[in-house]
Amino acid sequence: MKKTDSYYMEKAIELSSKGMNSNAGGPFGCVIVDKKGKIVGQGFNRVTSTNDPTAHAEVVAIRDACKNLKSFQLDDCTIYTSCEPCPMCLGAIYWARPKKIFYGCSREDAADIGFDDDFIYDEIAVDLKDRKIKTKQLGQKKAIKVFQDWDSKNNKTEY
């Protein structure tokens, strides 16, 4: 029997409930499915239980899928997440390069229960000198040397 997109979204929603009810973190879950319809990665939010602000459901699921697939790319995979990805997760998803994302709740739904990412979306558009967290370039002359070494490296794995 072929599983539908709704089936996989239900799995992501089940994970969001499981994580929340086990006090692992917020009410967010995610599954990643390969082109054959197999769940290759899954996760729920573990921010508070692991003291890791990056342990969002999507990041946990991406790490799981990449480990299982032995790849840093999720080509031909689909992500099902119980909520529209935050800016960090969206960045991680784009770096992983899946073919599609399905989400349940919107970012407005998340904001309604206290998970408001608008300040991050706003900060991205602000000039570096005007951001709330002060940001200053330091050590560029030495740091650029490593970039130059990377640029001329013959045996690198590009991504």
Side-chain angles (χ1 to χ4, degrees):
M1 175 175 119
K2 182 169 171 39
K3 296 176 178 132
T4 65
D5 293 324
S6 294
Y7 169 84
Y8 297 116
M9 182 56 72
E10 279 293 320
K11 294 297 181 192
I13 294 167
E14 287 171 14
L15 283 167
S16 71
S17 181
K18 179 180 177 183
M20 178 192 65
N21 288 322
S22 67
N23 293 319
F28 306 97
C30 181
V31 297
I32 300 174
V33 178
D34 70 10
K35 64 183 175 184
K36 295 178 184 171
K38 179 182 177 192
I39 295 176
V40 294
Q42 60 184 350
F44 49 76
N45 183 291
R46 296 174 181 267
V47 169
T48 57
S49 62
T50 62
N51 295 316
D52 180 354
T54 70
H56 290 200
E58 297 91 339
V59 172
V60 172
I62 288 168
R63 290 173 180 163
D64 187 42
C66 288
K67 181 181 84 175
N68 292 332
L69 294 172
K70 296 177 177 44
S71 174
F72 55 85
Q73 306 272 228
L74 298 176
D75 300 330
D76 294 322
C77 290
T78 301
I79 293 181
Y80 298 84
T81 181
S82 65
C83 185
E84 183 178 353
C86 75
M88 176 186 70
C89 292
L90 189 59
I93 288 167
Y94 269 84
W95 280 118
R97 295 177 172 84
K99 68 177 183 179
K100 192 179 276 188
I101 305 165
F102 288 95
Y103 67 93
C105 294
S106 69
R107 71 192 221 196
E108 293 81 12
D109 296 328
D112 287 344
I113 62 164
F115 294 93
D116 189 355
D117 298 325
D118 279 347
F119 76 98
I120 298 173
Y121 286 103
D122 293 343
E123 280 289 288
I124 290 169
V126 172
D127 191 88
L128 286 174
K129 67 179 175 29
D130 297 321
R131 290 192 178 162
K132 293 192 185 341
I133 297 176
K134 295 302 172 204
T135 305
K136 183 177 178 180
Q137 188 173 20
L138 177 67
Q140 190 261 356
K141 287 182 180 177
K142 288 186 179 182
I144 199 73
K145 171 74 171 89
V146 180
F147 276 20
Q148 292 165 342
D149 291 347
W150 169 262
D151 193 41
S152 63
K153 184 175 170 67
N154 291 322
N155 61 342
K156 62 187 168 196
T157 301
E158 297 209 28
Y159 56 100

